[in-house]
Amino acid sequence: MNRYTLAVLVRNQFGVLNRLTSMFRRRQFNISSITASETESNEYSRITFSFDGEDDGKQQLINQLYKLPDVCSIKELTGENSLSCELMLIKLKNDPDTRNEIHSAAEAFKAETIDYSRDSIVLRLIGNGARMDDFISLMRDYTILEICRTGTASIEKGSSILRQNLNL
Amino acid sequence: MILSGSDILVKALIEQGCDTVFGYPGGQILNVYDSLYTHQEEITHILTAHEQGATHAADGYARTTGKVGVVISTSGPGATNLVTGIATAYLDSIPLVAICGNVPTTQIGSDSFQEIDITGVTLPITKHNYFVGDVNDLADTIREAFKLAKSGRPGPVLIDVPKDVQIAKCEYQPKAPVEKETPYAAKDMRIEEAAEYIHASKKPFIYFGGGVITANAQEEMLCLAERIDAPIGCSLMGLSAIPTDHPRFLGMQGMHGHYASSMSMHNADLIISLGVRFNDRVTGNRARFATKAKIVHIDVDGSELSKTVNATCGLRGDVKLTLQRLLPLLDEKTRPEWIEQVNRFRKEETEYLDNREGLTPRKAILTLNKYLGENTAVCTDVGQHQMWSAQNLNFKTPRRFVSSGGLGTMGFGLGAAIGAAYGTKERSVLVTGDGSFGMCLNELATVTTYNIPVVILIMNNGVLGMVRQWQTLFYDKHYSNSVLNRSTDFPALARAFGAEGETVTTPHELDKALSRAFSQNSPYVIDCRIDKDEFVLPMLPPGGSMDDIITKLEVEK
């Protein structure tokens, strides 16, 4: 199993996200993270998927996605050719016994405290997925109340852009 | 000119060269039906008994003409009744535009009477679908839908038009009919690579499917076969593309394919696949499928390359254009040893042929062959009769075999035969079984009302024959819910609908009945009684390969 990231530029149409995720579902691909938003042009939306699978499956998925009329361009993003990041908000129980340990860990990970109350602490962490996973794993020693992650946003290094190979 | 949405819709259909549509009216599509009334001189609407029949008719029309078939229905149940027909067209890559009404945009999402999210429902079974929320988008949406339906690998497209959009008015500018996207050949590099594989091959085999009919690539394919001295076989969807009696043609592949065809593919060292998709009904156990062969696969849909069977050389492009580029790279070459081996398979096949006396399924189809004209379309339902038809019909003209291959839709045939009669502008034939016919026989009302000359041959064995065959072979003869034993009197049923019919029990009676059926210009039902324990042979058991082929079987009574 490998982790793949695909950046997909789509026509900014009603229901387009559903068309893409429906393709994943019926071809039995499991999305591990997804981000979607409008882009520099309101004609297009950009959807970034991460999923686990094998090379053959990935190629089949790309081929199937290209058959959707709303899909304009697809690019596989890898660690070498792209930059990725994710944002996480994590809410922990504020316990006087563990408070200092949480703060030291947060400092080491450059997580920011964005809310602090008598009973809870909310931390904000930005980085790649593996970093998030590591931090969550550390925090499991304490009491995690809630986690919210945005999913991976990825962009190519250099001047190359997704719109350059439009499939219209 | 300023027109209402419904007038724009009908005008846009006429603009696309559409002269025949199939459908059924209802509350949320009344405005469109009013426009159809106004434009009845330019566009004919055929009212079926059920929306499913209308979709199959539009499909049969598309399969026999190569044009886009059009079906119209109302919202809610009208729209959901299209679903099986749309899925049938989707799995067989048939160009179809389905138009349905919906509740006014102001009521969408409130579970109104006869409201259904039909774009959501049909998402996985259409190439694309549209919800038209603004009358200004309507004409261009219809144009885009037609373009999409017929471009590349064809397929169904659905357009959902709320009632207020049908009523609203806007400017309409007529345009020329849309052309399909310009087809392109595969990349030169790939074509050169394919030529090398072909050159190196000692035992090449050409395996084609419906894509050859869509691309109209028969001539190029036959030219390829001659040049490299290769035999040809096809999938169910490829049938009728080339004449059955063509000397290079070995027939259908797969679970119930022709012996020589399947054996040749199994023994080939190179399979050149043209517009075909290695369905599980063809390959059987994929791990044991044609293990000695390299595969050169040409398909307009890139996602078919290496989807199920790994292509040694995958070429994405139009089959016709790609073959045109490939042919000049190939030397004329004879392969006498290979042809000799193929001829041995052919000889073995003749030994397996069913030459029993009496009204056997093969005898019935061979008798039917005598009456078929060059242009007569034969439609089928799904089951044993479908396979007997595929094995024994004598095809002369492309697009004259109409059968649900991918989805395997029982009940497809009668609707399809209606569409085929309009598509070919002559009599059509339906070969069906008592099970399949029972599913959608309501369309008998349509064939009699419009006096459509459909010859209906029911292979009546009182059981669900294909289910029974599996139960006999793999389920210890537990005939669970496959014995029909209904008291339906098919000739009387035909008369009740306004058609004629008769029951036959011998080859001679069948011959006479067909002669009567083909001499008149109205629907005719033949209730052809066959034994309940007839088998479709040969048979590849599920999960098996050609080494496990069953060619002879007898059931103890």
Side-chain angles (χ1 to χ4, degrees), chain B residues 468-546:
Chain B
R468 185 181 180 86
Q469 177 164 344
W470 282 59
Q471 289 172 333
T472 302
L473 294 173
F474 313 118
Y475 292 88
D476 297 327
K477 298 188 189 170
H478 296 163
Y479 297 121
S480 172
N481 293 282
S482 62
V483 179
L484 298 175
N485 273 346
R486 291 172 179 159
S487 47
T488 314
D489 177 343
F490 286 110
L493 178 87
R495 284 191 290 280
F497 274 100
E500 289 179 63
E502 60 182 295
T503 297
V504 300
T505 56
T506 67
H508 180 69
E509 282 174 12
L510 174 63
D511 201 10
K512 289 279 178 228
L514 284 168
S515 153
R516 273 189 285 275
F518 277 82
S519 64
Q520 61 184 42
N521 211 23
S522 51
Y524 203 92
V525 175
I526 301 171
D527 170 26
C528 175
R529 298 291 174 85
I530 58 166
D531 190 81
K532 64 181 186 304
D533 283 309
E534 293 286 356
F535 285 101
V536 181
L537 294 173
M539 181 179 190
L540 287 182
S545 79
M546 277 311 288

Coordinates of all heavy atoms in Angstrom, one line a residue, chain B residues 468-546:
Chain B
R468 N -32.0 -22.5 -14.1 CA -32.1 -23.9 -13.9 C -30.8 -24.6 -14.3 O -30.4 -25.5 -13.6 CB -33.3 -24.4 -14.8 CG -33.6 -25.9 -14.6 CD -34.7 -26.3 -15.5 NE -35.0 -27.7 -15.4 CZ -35.8 -28.2 -14.5 NH1 -36.4 -27.4 -13.6 NH2 -36.1 -29.5 -14.4
Q469 N -30.2 -24.1 -15.4 CA -29.0 -24.7 -15.8 C -27.9 -24.7 -14.7 O -27.2 -25.7 -14.4 CB -28.5 -24.0 -17.1 CG -27.1 -24.5 -17.6 CD -26.8 -24.1 -19.0 OE1 -27.7 -23.7 -19.8 NE2 -25.6 -24.3 -19.4
W470 N -27.8 -23.5 -14.1 CA -26.9 -23.4 -13.0 C -27.2 -24.2 -11.8 O -26.4 -24.8 -11.1 CB -26.7 -21.9 -12.6 CG -25.9 -21.1 -13.5 CD1 -26.1 -20.9 -14.8 CD2 -24.7 -20.4 -13.2 NE1 -25.1 -20.1 -15.3 CE2 -24.2 -19.8 -14.4 CE3 -24.0 -20.2 -12.0 CZ2 -23.1 -19.0 -14.4 CZ3 -22.8 -19.4 -12.0 CH2 -22.4 -18.8 -13.3
Q471 N -28.5 -24.3 -11.5 CA -29.0 -25.1 -10.4 C -28.7 -26.6 -10.6 O -28.4 -27.3 -9.7 CB -30.5 -24.8 -10.1 CG -30.7 -23.4 -9.5 CD -32.2 -23.1 -9.4 OE1 -33.0 -23.6 -10.2 NE2 -32.5 -22.2 -8.5
T472 N -28.9 -27.0 -11.9 CA -28.6 -28.4 -12.3 C -27.1 -28.7 -12.1 O -26.7 -29.7 -11.5 CB -28.9 -28.6 -13.7 OG1 -30.3 -28.3 -13.9 CG2 -28.7 -30.1 -14.1
L473 N -26.3 -27.8 -12.5 CA -24.8 -28.0 -12.5 C -24.2 -27.7 -11.2 O -23.2 -28.4 -10.8 CB -24.1 -27.2 -13.6 CG -24.5 -27.5 -15.0 CD1 -23.9 -26.5 -16.0 CD2 -24.0 -28.9 -15.4
F474 N -24.6 -26.7 -10.5 CA -23.8 -26.3 -9.3 C -24.6 -26.2 -8.0 O -24.1 -25.9 -7.0 CB -23.2 -24.9 -9.6 CG -22.6 -24.8 -10.9 CD1 -23.0 -23.9 -11.9 CD2 -21.5 -25.6 -11.2 CE1 -22.4 -23.8 -13.1 CE2 -20.8 -25.5 -12.4 CZ -21.3 -24.6 -13.4
Y475 N -26.0 -26.5 -8.0 CA -26.8 -26.4 -6.8 C -27.6 -27.6 -6.6 O -28.7 -27.6 -6.1 CB -27.7 -25.1 -6.9 CG -26.9 -23.8 -6.8 CD1 -26.4 -23.2 -8.0 CD2 -26.6 -23.2 -5.6 CE1 -25.7 -22.0 -8.0 CE2 -25.9 -22.0 -5.6 CZ -25.4 -21.4 -6.8 OH -24.7 -20.3 -6.7
D476 N -27.0 -28.8 -6.9 CA -27.6 -30.1 -6.6 C -29.0 -30.2 -7.1 O -29.9 -30.8 -6.4 CB -27.5 -30.3 -5.1 CG -26.1 -30.5 -4.6 OD1 -25.3 -30.9 -5.4 OD2 -25.8 -30.0 -3.5
K477 N -29.3 -29.6 -8.2 CA -30.7 -29.6 -8.8 C -31.8 -29.1 -7.8 O -32.9 -29.6 -7.8 CB -31.0 -31.1 -9.2 CG -30.1 -31.6 -10.3 CD -30.6 -32.9 -10.9 CE -29.6 -33.5 -11.8 NZ -29.9 -34.8 -12.2
H478 N -31.4 -28.2 -7.0 CA -32.4 -27.5 -6.1 C -33.0 -26.5 -7.0 O -32.4 -25.4 -7.1 CB -31.8 -26.9 -4.9 CG -31.1 -27.9 -4.0 ND1 -30.2 -27.5 -3.0 CD2 -31.3 -29.2 -3.8 CE1 -29.9 -28.6 -2.3 NE2 -30.5 -29.6 -2.8
Y479 N -34.2 -26.7 -7.6 CA -34.8 -25.8 -8.5 C -35.5 -24.7 -7.7 O -36.8 -24.6 -7.8 CB -35.6 -26.5 -9.6 CG -34.7 -27.4 -10.4 CD1 -35.0 -28.8 -10.5 CD2 -33.6 -26.9 -11.1 CE1 -34.1 -29.6 -11.2 CE2 -32.8 -27.7 -11.9 CZ -33.1 -29.1 -11.9 OH -32.2 -29.9 -12.6
S480 N -34.8 -24.0 -7.0 CA -35.4 -23.0 -6.1 C -36.0 -21.8 -6.9 O -35.3 -21.1 -7.5 CB -34.4 -22.5 -5.1 OG -34.9 -21.4 -4.4
N481 N -37.3 -21.7 -6.9 CA -38.0 -20.5 -7.5 C -37.6 -20.3 -9.0 O -37.6 -19.2 -9.5 CB -37.7 -19.3 -6.7 CG -38.4 -19.3 -5.4 OD1 -39.6 -19.1 -5.3 ND2 -37.6 -19.7 -4.4
S482 N -37.3 -21.4 -9.7 CA -37.0 -21.2 -11.1 C -38.0 -21.9 -12.0 O -37.9 -21.9 -13.2 CB -35.6 -21.7 -11.4 OG -35.5 -23.1 -11.1
V483 N -38.9 -22.6 -11.4 CA -40.0 -23.3 -12.1 C -41.2 -22.4 -12.2 O -41.7 -22.0 -11.2 CB -40.3 -24.7 -11.4 CG1 -41.4 -25.4 -12.2 CG2 -39.1 -25.6 -11.3
L484 N -41.5 -22.0 -13.5 CA -42.6 -21.1 -13.6 C -44.0 -21.8 -13.6 O -44.9 -21.4 -12.9 CB -42.4 -20.3 -14.9 CG -41.1 -19.4 -14.9 CD1 -41.0 -18.7 -16.3 CD2 -41.1 -18.4 -13.9
N485 N -44.1 -22.8 -14.5 CA -45.3 -23.5 -14.6 C -46.5 -22.6 -14.6 O -47.5 -22.9 -13.9 CB -45.4 -24.6 -13.5 CG -44.8 -25.9 -13.9 OD1 -44.5 -26.1 -15.1 ND2 -44.5 -26.8 -12.9
R486 N -46.5 -21.5 -15.3 CA -47.6 -20.6 -15.3 C -48.7 -21.1 -16.3 O -48.3 -21.8 -17.2 CB -47.1 -19.2 -15.7 CG -46.2 -18.6 -14.7 CD -45.6 -17.3 -15.2 NE -44.8 -16.7 -14.2 CZ -43.8 -15.8 -14.5 NH1 -43.6 -15.5 -15.7 NH2 -43.1 -15.3 -13.5
S487 N -49.8 -20.6 -16.1 CA -50.9 -21.1 -17.0 C -51.1 -20.0 -18.2 O -52.1 -20.0 -18.8 CB -52.2 -21.4 -16.3 OG -52.4 -20.3 -15.4
T488 N -50.1 -19.1 -18.3 CA -50.3 -18.1 -19.4 C -50.4 -18.8 -20.8 O -49.6 -19.6 -21.1 CB -49.0 -17.2 -19.4 OG1 -48.7 -16.8 -18.1 CG2 -49.2 -16.0 -20.3
D489 N -51.5 -18.4 -21.4 CA -51.7 -18.8 -22.8 C -51.2 -17.7 -23.7 O -51.9 -16.7 -23.9 CB -53.2 -19.1 -23.0 CG -53.6 -19.6 -24.4 OD1 -52.7 -19.3 -25.3 OD2 -54.7 -20.1 -24.5
F490 N -50.0 -17.9 -24.2 CA -49.4 -16.7 -25.0 C -50.2 -16.3 -26.2 O -50.4 -15.1 -26.5 CB -47.9 -17.0 -25.3 CG -47.0 -16.9 -24.1 CD1 -46.4 -18.0 -23.5 CD2 -46.8 -15.6 -23.5 CE1 -45.6 -17.9 -22.3 CE2 -46.0 -15.5 -22.3 CZ -45.4 -16.6 -21.8
P491 N -50.7 -17.3 -27.0 CA -51.4 -16.8 -28.2 C -52.7 -16.1 -27.8 O -53.1 -15.1 -28.4 CB -51.8 -18.2 -28.9 CG -50.7 -19.1 -28.5 CD -50.4 -18.7 -27.1
A492 N -53.4 -16.6 -26.7 CA -54.6 -15.9 -26.2 C -54.2 -14.5 -25.7 O -54.9 -13.5 -25.9 CB -55.2 -16.7 -25.1
L493 N -53.0 -14.4 -25.0 CA -52.5 -13.1 -24.5 C -52.3 -12.2 -25.7 O -52.7 -11.0 -25.6 CB -51.2 -13.4 -23.8 CG -50.6 -12.1 -23.2 CD1 -51.1 -11.8 -21.8 CD2 -49.1 -12.3 -23.1
A494 N -51.7 -12.7 -26.8 CA -51.5 -11.9 -27.9 C -52.8 -11.3 -28.5 O -52.9 -10.1 -28.8 CB -50.7 -12.7 -29.0
R495 N -53.8 -12.2 -28.5 CA -55.1 -11.8 -29.1 C -55.7 -10.8 -28.2 O -56.3 -9.8 -28.6 CB -56.0 -13.0 -29.2 CG -55.6 -13.8 -30.5 CD -56.7 -14.9 -30.8 NE -56.8 -15.9 -29.8 CZ -55.9 -17.0 -29.8 NH1 -55.0 -17.1 -30.8 NH2 -56.1 -17.9 -28.9
A496 N -55.5 -10.9 -26.9 CA -56.1 -10.0 -25.9 C -55.5 -8.6 -26.2 O -56.2 -7.6 -26.0 CB -55.9 -10.4 -24.5
F497 N -54.3 -8.5 -26.6 CA -53.6 -7.2 -26.8 C -53.9 -6.7 -28.2 O -53.6 -5.6 -28.6 CB -52.1 -7.3 -26.6 CG -51.7 -7.1 -25.2 CD1 -51.4 -8.2 -24.4 CD2 -51.6 -5.8 -24.7 CE1 -50.9 -8.0 -23.1 CE2 -51.1 -5.7 -23.4 CZ -50.8 -6.8 -22.6
G498 N -54.5 -7.6 -29.1 CA -54.8 -7.2 -30.4 C -53.8 -7.7 -31.5 O -53.8 -7.2 -32.6
A499 N -53.0 -8.7 -31.1 CA -52.0 -9.3 -32.0 C -52.5 -10.7 -32.3 O -53.4 -11.2 -31.7 CB -50.6 -9.3 -31.4
E500 N -51.8 -11.4 -33.2 CA -52.1 -12.8 -33.5 C -51.0 -13.6 -32.9 O -49.9 -13.1 -32.6 CB -52.1 -13.0 -35.0 CG -53.3 -12.4 -35.6 CD -53.3 -12.7 -37.1 OE1 -53.3 -13.9 -37.5 OE2 -53.2 -11.7 -37.9
G501 N -51.3 -14.9 -32.7 CA -50.3 -15.8 -32.1 C -50.6 -17.2 -32.2 O -51.8 -17.6 -32.5
E502 N -49.7 -18.1 -32.1 CA -49.9 -19.5 -32.1 C -48.9 -20.3 -31.3 O -47.8 -19.7 -31.1 CB -50.0 -20.0 -33.6 CG -48.7 -19.9 -34.4 CD -48.9 -20.4 -35.8 OE1 -49.1 -21.6 -35.9 OE2 -48.8 -19.6 -36.7
T503 N -49.2 -21.5 -31.0 CA -48.2 -22.3 -30.3 C -47.7 -23.4 -31.2 O -48.4 -23.9 -32.0 CB -48.9 -23.0 -29.1 OG1 -49.4 -22.0 -28.2 CG2 -48.0 -24.0 -28.3
V504 N -46.4 -23.6 -31.1 CA -45.8 -24.6 -32.0 C -45.0 -25.6 -31.1 O -44.4 -25.3 -30.1 CB -44.8 -24.0 -33.1 CG1 -45.6 -23.1 -34.0 CG2 -43.6 -23.3 -32.4
T505 N -45.0 -26.9 -31.6 CA -44.3 -27.9 -30.8 C -43.4 -28.8 -31.7 O -42.6 -29.6 -31.2 CB -45.3 -28.9 -30.1 OG1 -46.2 -29.4 -31.1 CG2 -46.1 -28.2 -29.1
T506 N -43.4 -28.6 -33.0 CA -42.5 -29.3 -33.9 C -41.8 -28.3 -34.8 O -42.3 -27.2 -35.0 CB -43.3 -30.3 -34.8 OG1 -44.1 -29.5 -35.7 CG2 -44.1 -31.2 -33.9
P507 N -40.6 -28.7 -35.4 CA -39.9 -27.9 -36.3 C -40.8 -27.5 -37.5 O -40.8 -26.3 -37.9 CB -38.7 -28.7 -36.8 CG -38.5 -29.8 -35.7 CD -39.9 -30.0 -35.1
H508 N -41.6 -28.4 -37.9 CA -42.5 -28.1 -39.1 C -43.5 -27.0 -38.7 O -43.7 -26.1 -39.5 CB -43.2 -29.4 -39.5 CG -44.1 -29.2 -40.7 ND1 -43.6 -29.0 -41.9 CD2 -45.4 -29.2 -40.8 CE1 -44.6 -28.8 -42.8 NE2 -45.8 -29.0 -42.1
E509 N -44.1 -27.2 -37.6 CA -45.1 -26.1 -37.1 C -44.4 -24.8 -37.0 O -45.0 -23.7 -37.3 CB -45.7 -26.5 -35.8 CG -46.7 -27.6 -35.9 CD -47.2 -28.1 -34.5 OE1 -46.9 -27.4 -33.5 OE2 -47.9 -29.1 -34.5
L510 N -43.2 -24.8 -36.5 CA -42.5 -23.5 -36.3 C -42.2 -22.9 -37.6 O -42.4 -21.7 -37.8 CB -41.1 -23.8 -35.5 CG -40.2 -22.5 -35.4 CD1 -40.9 -21.4 -34.6 CD2 -38.9 -22.9 -34.8
D511 N -41.8 -23.7 -38.6 CA -41.5 -23.2 -39.9 C -42.8 -22.5 -40.5 O -42.7 -21.4 -41.0 CB -41.1 -24.4 -40.8 CG -40.3 -23.9 -42.0 OD1 -40.0 -22.7 -42.1 OD2 -40.0 -24.7 -42.9
K512 N -43.9 -23.2 -40.4 CA -45.2 -22.7 -40.9 C -45.5 -21.4 -40.2 O -46.0 -20.4 -40.8 CB -46.3 -23.7 -40.7 CG -46.2 -24.9 -41.6 CD -46.7 -24.6 -42.9 CE -46.6 -25.8 -43.9 NZ -46.1 -25.5 -45.2
A513 N -45.3 -21.4 -38.9 CA -45.7 -20.2 -38.1 C -44.9 -19.0 -38.5 O -45.4 -17.9 -38.6 CB -45.6 -20.5 -36.6
L514 N -43.5 -19.3 -38.6 CA -42.7 -18.2 -39.0 C -43.0 -17.6 -40.4 O -43.0 -16.4 -40.7 CB -41.2 -18.6 -39.0 CG -40.6 -18.8 -37.6 CD1 -39.2 -19.5 -37.7 CD2 -40.3 -17.4 -37.0
S515 N -43.4 -18.6 -41.3 CA -43.8 -18.2 -42.6 C -45.0 -17.3 -42.5 O -45.1 -16.2 -43.2 CB -44.0 -19.4 -43.4 OG -45.0 -19.2 -44.4
R516 N -46.0 -17.6 -41.7 CA -47.2 -16.7 -41.5 C -46.8 -15.4 -40.9 O -47.2 -14.3 -41.4 CB -48.2 -17.4 -40.6 CG -49.1 -18.4 -41.3 CD -50.3 -18.9 -40.4 NE -49.8 -19.9 -39.4 CZ -49.7 -21.2 -39.7 NH1 -50.1 -21.6 -40.9 NH2 -49.3 -22.0 -38.8
A517 N -45.9 -15.5 -39.9 CA -45.5 -14.3 -39.2 C -44.8 -13.3 -40.1 O -45.1 -12.1 -40.0 CB -44.6 -14.6 -38.0
F518 N -43.9 -13.8 -40.9 CA -43.1 -12.9 -41.8 C -43.9 -12.5 -43.0 O -43.4 -11.6 -43.8 CB -41.8 -13.6 -42.2 CG -40.7 -13.5 -41.2 CD1 -40.7 -14.3 -40.1 CD2 -39.8 -12.5 -41.3 CE1 -39.7 -14.2 -39.1 CE2 -38.8 -12.3 -40.3 CZ -38.8 -13.2 -39.2
S519 N -45.1 -13.1 -43.3 CA -45.8 -12.7 -44.5 C -46.8 -11.6 -44.2 O -47.4 -11.0 -45.1 CB -46.5 -13.9 -45.1 OG -47.5 -14.3 -44.2
Q520 N -47.0 -11.3 -42.9 CA -47.9 -10.2 -42.6 C -47.2 -9.0 -42.0 O -46.1 -9.1 -41.4 CB -49.1 -10.7 -41.7 CG -48.6 -11.2 -40.4 CD -49.8 -11.8 -39.6 OE1 -50.6 -12.5 -40.2 NE2 -49.8 -11.5 -38.3
N521 N -47.9 -7.9 -42.0 CA -47.3 -6.7 -41.6 C -47.9 -6.2 -40.3 O -48.2 -5.0 -40.1 CB -47.6 -5.6 -42.7 CG -46.4 -4.6 -42.8 OD1 -45.3 -4.9 -42.4 ND2 -46.7 -3.4 -43.2
S522 N -47.9 -7.1 -39.3 CA -48.4 -6.8 -38.0 C -47.7 -7.7 -37.0 O -47.1 -8.7 -37.3 CB -49.9 -6.9 -38.0 OG -50.3 -8.2 -38.4
P523 N -47.8 -7.4 -35.7 CA -47.1 -8.2 -34.7 C -47.7 -9.6 -34.6 O -48.8 -9.9 -34.9 CB -47.4 -7.4 -33.4 CG -48.5 -6.5 -33.7 CD -48.5 -6.2 -35.1
Y524 N -46.8 -10.5 -34.3 CA -47.1 -11.9 -34.3 C -46.4 -12.7 -33.2 O -45.1 -12.5 -33.1 CB -46.8 -12.6 -35.7 CG -47.6 -13.8 -36.0 CD1 -48.8 -13.7 -36.7 CD2 -47.1 -15.1 -35.6 CE1 -49.5 -14.9 -37.0 CE2 -47.8 -16.2 -35.9 CZ -49.0 -16.1 -36.6 OH -49.7 -17.3 -36.9
V525 N -47.1 -13.4 -32.4 CA -46.4 -14.1 -31.3 C -46.4 -15.6 -31.5 O -47.4 -16.2 -31.8 CB -47.2 -13.8 -30.0 CG1 -46.6 -14.6 -28.8 CG2 -47.2 -12.3 -29.6
I526 N -45.2 -16.1 -31.4 CA -45.0 -17.6 -31.6 C -44.6 -18.2 -30.3 O -43.5 -17.8 -29.8 CB -44.0 -18.0 -32.7 CG1 -44.5 -17.4 -34.0 CG2 -43.9 -19.5 -32.8 CD1 -43.5 -17.5 -35.2
D527 N -45.4 -19.0 -29.7 CA -45.1 -19.7 -28.4 C -44.5 -21.0 -28.8 O -45.1 -22.0 -29.1 CB -46.5 -19.9 -27.7 CG -46.4 -20.8 -26.5 OD1 -45.3 -20.8 -25.9 OD2 -47.4 -21.4 -26.2
C528 N -43.1 -21.0 -28.7 CA -42.4 -22.2 -29.2 C -42.0 -23.0 -28.0 O -41.1 -22.6 -27.2 CB -41.1 -21.6 -30.0 SG -40.0 -22.9 -30.5
R529 N -42.5 -24.2 -27.9 CA -42.3 -25.1 -26.7 C -41.0 -25.9 -26.9 O -40.9 -26.6 -27.8 CB -43.5 -26.0 -26.6 CG -44.9 -25.3 -26.4 CD -44.9 -24.7 -25.0 NE -46.1 -23.9 -24.9 CZ -47.3 -24.4 -24.5 NH1 -47.4 -25.7 -24.2 NH2 -48.4 -23.6 -24.4
I530 N -40.2 -25.7 -25.9 CA -39.0 -26.5 -25.9 C -38.8 -27.1 -24.5 O -39.5 -26.8 -23.6 CB -37.7 -25.6 -26.2 CG1 -37.6 -24.5 -25.2 CG2 -37.7 -25.1 -27.6 CD1 -36.2 -23.8 -25.2
D531 N -37.9 -28.1 -24.5 CA -37.8 -28.8 -23.2 C -37.1 -28.0 -22.1 O -36.3 -27.2 -22.4 CB -36.9 -30.1 -23.5 CG -36.9 -31.0 -22.3 OD1 -37.9 -31.8 -22.2 OD2 -36.0 -31.0 -21.5
K532 N -37.5 -28.3 -20.9 CA -37.0 -27.5 -19.8 C -35.6 -27.8 -19.4 O -34.9 -27.1 -18.7 CB -37.9 -27.6 -18.5 CG -38.0 -29.0 -17.9 CD -38.9 -28.9 -16.7 CE -38.9 -30.2 -16.0 NZ -39.3 -31.4 -16.8
D533 N -35.0 -28.9 -19.9 CA -33.7 -29.3 -19.5 C -32.7 -29.2 -20.7 O -31.7 -29.9 -20.8 CB -33.6 -30.7 -18.9 CG -34.1 -30.7 -17.5 OD1 -33.6 -29.8 -16.7 OD2 -35.0 -31.4 -17.1
E534 N -33.0 -28.3 -21.6 CA -32.0 -27.9 -22.6 C -30.9 -27.1 -22.0 O -31.1 -26.3 -21.1 CB -32.7 -27.1 -23.7 CG -33.7 -27.8 -24.6 CD -33.1 -28.8 -25.5 OE1 -31.8 -28.9 -25.6 OE2 -33.9 -29.5 -26.2
F535 N -29.7 -27.3 -22.5 CA -28.5 -26.6 -21.9 C -28.0 -25.6 -23.0 O -28.1 -25.9 -24.2 CB -27.4 -27.5 -21.5 CG -27.7 -28.2 -20.2 CD1 -28.2 -29.5 -20.2 CD2 -27.6 -27.6 -19.0 CE1 -28.5 -30.2 -19.0 CE2 -27.9 -28.2 -17.8 CZ -28.3 -29.5 -17.8
V536 N -27.3 -24.6 -22.5 CA -26.5 -23.8 -23.4 C -25.1 -24.3 -23.3 O -24.5 -24.3 -22.2 CB -26.5 -22.3 -23.0 CG1 -25.7 -21.5 -24.0 CG2 -27.9 -21.7 -22.9
L537 N -24.7 -24.8 -24.4 CA -23.3 -25.4 -24.5 C -22.6 -24.9 -25.7 O -23.2 -24.5 -26.7 CB -23.4 -26.9 -24.6 CG -24.0 -27.6 -23.4 CD1 -24.1 -29.1 -23.7 CD2 -23.1 -27.5 -22.2
P538 N -21.3 -24.8 -25.7 CA -20.4 -25.1 -24.6 C -20.6 -24.2 -23.4 O -21.2 -23.1 -23.5 CB -19.0 -25.0 -25.2 CG -19.1 -24.1 -26.3 CD -20.5 -24.3 -26.8
M539 N -20.0 -24.6 -22.3 CA -20.1 -23.7 -21.1 C -18.7 -23.7 -20.4 O -18.2 -24.8 -20.1 CB -21.2 -24.2 -20.2 CG -21.3 -23.3 -18.9 SD -22.6 -23.9 -17.8 CE -22.6 -22.5 -16.7
L540 N -18.3 -22.6 -20.0 CA -17.1 -22.5 -19.2 C -17.7 -22.3 -17.8 O -18.4 -21.3 -17.5 CB -16.3 -21.2 -19.5 CG -15.4 -21.2 -20.7 CD1 -14.7 -19.9 -20.8 CD2 -14.5 -22.3 -20.7
P541 N -17.4 -23.2 -16.9 CA -17.9 -23.1 -15.5 C -17.4 -21.8 -14.9 O -16.3 -21.4 -15.2 CB -17.4 -24.3 -14.8 CG -16.6 -25.1 -15.7 CD -16.5 -24.4 -17.0
P542 N -18.1 -21.2 -14.0 CA -17.7 -19.9 -13.4 C -16.3 -20.2 -12.7 O -16.1 -21.2 -12.0 CB -18.7 -19.6 -12.3 CG -19.5 -20.9 -12.2 CD -19.4 -21.6 -13.5
G543 N -15.4 -19.2 -12.9 CA -14.1 -19.4 -12.3 C -13.2 -20.3 -13.0 O -12.0 -20.6 -12.6
G544 N -13.7 -20.9 -14.1 CA -12.8 -21.9 -14.9 C -12.1 -21.2 -16.0 O -12.2 -20.0 -16.2
S545 N -11.4 -22.0 -16.8 CA -10.7 -21.5 -18.0 C -11.1 -22.5 -19.1 O -11.9 -23.4 -18.9 CB -9.2 -21.5 -17.8 OG -8.7 -22.8 -18.0
M546 N -10.5 -22.3 -20.3 CA -10.8 -23.2 -21.4 C -10.5 -24.6 -21.2 O -11.1 -25.5 -21.8 CB -10.1 -22.7 -22.7 CG -10.8 -21.6 -23.4 SD -12.5 -21.8 -23.7 CE -12.5 -23.1 -25.0

